[in-house]
């Protein structure tokens, strides 16, 4: 059946019969998720929008930064939000009642890039400025670039309307400037062929404002600071205990693939150091070059490799020679 039909009512009854709170790590199966992209192929139900707004108001009253409120959900530091974490913050901590079906539909609404996970980029787009989606941002940017500030911005309701609007924009741009800039040509090439569907993520899902932007990170700690001293101390202890950063990574990482923020606490305990959350965050922020929330092997070696351990030995030699 269609929306509201016997099939929909039966599915709602079935989903509402599932246990609440959901199991830890539980996600919504793909067959119960909306198909296609928001808002072209589907829009959330009014009740789901209402739940999102209530949650937004409560979290915004307590946390002024989206990054901080995201951490409130992501208790296991995996960089994603599962159903259990959404339930805990919304129902248990914020006191917003909902059914299991409404919880799953809200979770599906948060998954903006439709990859079956809620990452920080999805969360920021849903809890940030949700009035515009990425195509509308491109439309506004194009109009500002052309000096057309006073025209009304249309919000596309379906794909034919969107394609017609994009065609009008392209014709206007061609009449104004028959030879497009290299940036414009690259942008349309990307739109046509590379299935790049988000203003806020690079093609490899790293954060950025446009597909050709590369955000530069310091990729280092500043000598003399507490975070640098801690990093050097960790590198020296890893070399003394395991012989190399690569072997230390294999021994200290949970799955041999990554070391998360929580994993760094374990690393420090194992090496006999008192954990310091602020310094751990500073080191992670400096060396997490792909912005995925953890250190992989190359990033771990960059942070705690032989060169850093040698710096510790150099400091020791210097103290002995004085």
């Amino acid at each position: 059946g269609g929306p509201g039909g016997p099939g929909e009512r039966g599915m709602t009854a079935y989903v509402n019969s599932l246990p609440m709170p959901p199991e830890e790590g539980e996600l919504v199966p793909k067959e119960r998720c909306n198909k296609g992209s928001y808002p072209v192929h589907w829009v959330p139900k009014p009740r789901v929008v209402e739940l999102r707004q209530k949650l937004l108001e409560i979290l915004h009253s307590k946390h002024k930064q989206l990054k901080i409120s995201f951490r409130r959900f992501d208790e296991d530091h995996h960089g994603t939000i599962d159903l259990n974490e959404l339930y805990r913050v919304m129902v248990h901590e914020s006191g917003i009642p909902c059914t299991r079906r409404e919880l799953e539909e809200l979770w599906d609404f948060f998954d903006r890039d439709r990859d079956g996970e809620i990452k920080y980029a999805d969360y920021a787009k849903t809890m940030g400025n949700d009035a515009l989606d990425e195509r509308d941002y491109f439309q506004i940017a194009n109009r500002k670039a052309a000096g057309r500030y006073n025209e009304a911005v249309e919000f596309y309701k379906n794909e034919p309307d969107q394609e017609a609007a994009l065609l009008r924009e392209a014709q206007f741009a061609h009449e104004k400037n028959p030879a497009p800039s290299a940036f414009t040509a690259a942008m349309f090439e990307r739109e046509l062929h590379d299935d790049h569907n988000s203003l806020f993520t690079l093609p490899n899902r790293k954060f950025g404002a446009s597909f050709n932007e590369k955000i530069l990170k310091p990729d280092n700690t500043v000598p003399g600071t507490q975070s640098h001293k801690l990093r050097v101390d960790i590198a020296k202890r890893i070399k003394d205990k395991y012989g190399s950063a690569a072997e230390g990574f294999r021994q200290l990482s949970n799955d041999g693939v990554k070391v998360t923020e929580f994993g760094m606490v374990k690393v420090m305990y194992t090496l006999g150091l008192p954990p310091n959350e602020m310094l751990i965050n500073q080191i992670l922020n400096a060396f997490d070059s792909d912005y995925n929330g953890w250190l992989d092997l190359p990033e771990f070696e960059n942070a705690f490799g032989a060169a850093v351990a040698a710096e510790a030995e150099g400091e020791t030699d210097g103290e002995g020679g004085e």
Side-chain angles (χ1 to χ4, degrees), residues 14-157:
Y14 164 72
V15 174
N16 285 338
S17 69
L18 297 174
M20 285 277 271
E23 297 289 329
E24 285 190 18
E26 188 174 350
L27 305 176
V28 180
K30 283 188 176 180
E31 60 269 17
R32 295 209 294 271
C33 294
N34 287 297
K35 305 296 186 291
S37 60
Y38 165 89
V40 174
H41 301 103
W42 60 275
V43 292
K45 295 174 182 174
R47 172 61 178 161
V48 174
V49 176
E50 179 190 348
L51 288 172
R52 173 253 181 198
Q53 188 61 31
K54 286 181 178 178
L55 186 60
L56 174 64
E57 289 170 2
I58 290 174
L59 291 177
H60 185 67
S61 69
K62 297 178 180 178
H63 310 289
K64 296 304 179 188
Q65 293 184 12
L66 286 172
K67 183 168 70 171
I68 295 173
S69 63
F70 179 79
R71 287 178 184 166
R72 184 170 170 183
F73 286 93
D74 185 25
E75 210 172 37
D76 57 9
H77 302 288
H78 285 161
T80 58
I81 299 174
D82 61 38
L83 267 178
N84 180 271
E85 291 169 330
L86 180 60
Y87 172 88
R88 174 176 51 78
V89 174
M90 188 172 79
V91 180
H92 185 65
E93 296 180 9
S94 303
I96 304 173
C98 72
T99 65
R100 169 77 184 223
R101 178 69 159 169
E102 290 167 349
L103 183 74
E104 290 197 358
E105 289 179 346
L106 180 63
W107 186 94
D108 187 38
F109 181 35
F110 270 91
D111 180 19
R112 297 299 281 274
D113 62 5
R114 319 306 298 156
D115 67 350
E117 291 183 327
I118 301 176
K119 303 176 295 302
Y120 177 70
D122 301 316
Y123 178 80
K125 286 175 71 174
T126 308
M127 298 296 270
N129 183 4
D130 195 41
L132 305 171
D133 73 303
E134 54 268 15
R135 296 184 314 281
D136 302 314
Y137 276 105
F138 274 122
Q139 186 184 170
I140 292 170
N142 286 337
R143 291 184 178 199
K144 283 185 176 179
R148 296 150 61 201
Y149 294 96
N150 298 323
E151 292 186 23
V153 175
E154 300 174 17
F155 299 103
Y156 309 125
K157 297 299 182 186

Side-chain angles (χ1 to χ4, degrees), residues 282-295:
Q282 289 175 2
I283 293 172
L284 275 174
N285 287 336
F287 292 95
D288 177 20
S289 57
D290 54 8
Y291 295 87
N292 58 9
W294 60 73
L295 300 180

Side-chain angles (χ1 to χ4, degrees), residues 106-282:
L106 180 63
W107 186 94
D108 187 38
F109 181 35
F110 270 91
D111 180 19
R112 297 299 281 274
D113 62 5
R114 319 306 298 156
D115 67 350
E117 291 183 327
I118 301 176
K119 303 176 295 302
Y120 177 70
D122 301 316
Y123 178 80
K125 286 175 71 174
T126 308
M127 298 296 270
N129 183 4
D130 195 41
L132 305 171
D133 73 303
E134 54 268 15
R135 296 184 314 281
D136 302 314
Y137 276 105
F138 274 122
Q139 186 184 170
I140 292 170
N142 286 337
R143 291 184 178 199
K144 283 185 176 179
R148 296 150 61 201
Y149 294 96
N150 298 323
E151 292 186 23
V153 175
E154 300 174 17
F155 299 103
Y156 309 125
K157 297 299 182 186
N158 52 56
E159 287 182 288
D161 286 355
Q162 175 190 339
E163 290 166 3
L166 290 175
L167 181 60
R168 287 196 301 273
E169 293 289 333
Q171 287 170 341
F172 178 88
H174 180 72
E175 291 164 9
K176 185 175 177 65
N177 181 12
S181 67
F183 176 85
T184 304
M187 183 176 76
F188 278 107
E189 184 71 16
R190 175 72 69 176
E191 286 291 317
L192 288 172
H193 300 297
D194 285 7
D195 191 29
H196 178 61
N197 63 357
S198 173
L199 179 67
F200 300 105
T201 55
L202 295 170
N204 54 3
R205 300 298 174 194
K206 299 173 188 174
F207 297 116
S210 64
F211 61 84
N212 66 344
E213 176 180 349
K214 293 181 180 177
I215 295 180
L216 300 176
K217 299 194 76 168
D219 206 23
N220 207 340
T221 46
V222 180
T225 59
Q226 288 182 304
S227 58
H228 185 76
K229 290 175 183 175
L230 175 62
R231 177 186 159 218
V232 170
D233 195 5
I234 291 174
K236 182 177 183 303
R237 291 176 186 237
I238 287 175
K239 185 179 180 185
D240 292 345
K241 189 176 178 75
Y242 301 106
S244 70
E247 182 59 28
F249 180 83
R250 279 188 282 274
Q251 296 289 336
L252 295 168
S253 58
N254 287 334
D255 51 8
V257 175
K258 61 180 179 287
V259 174
T260 61
E261 183 178 352
F262 181 76
M264 280 300 301
V265 173
K266 174 190 164 188
V267 167
M268 293 183 70
Y269 273 127
T270 305
L271 297 176
L273 291 166
N276 183 312
E277 185 178 348
M278 182 185 75
L279 298 182
I280 287 173
N281 267 319
Q282 289 175 2

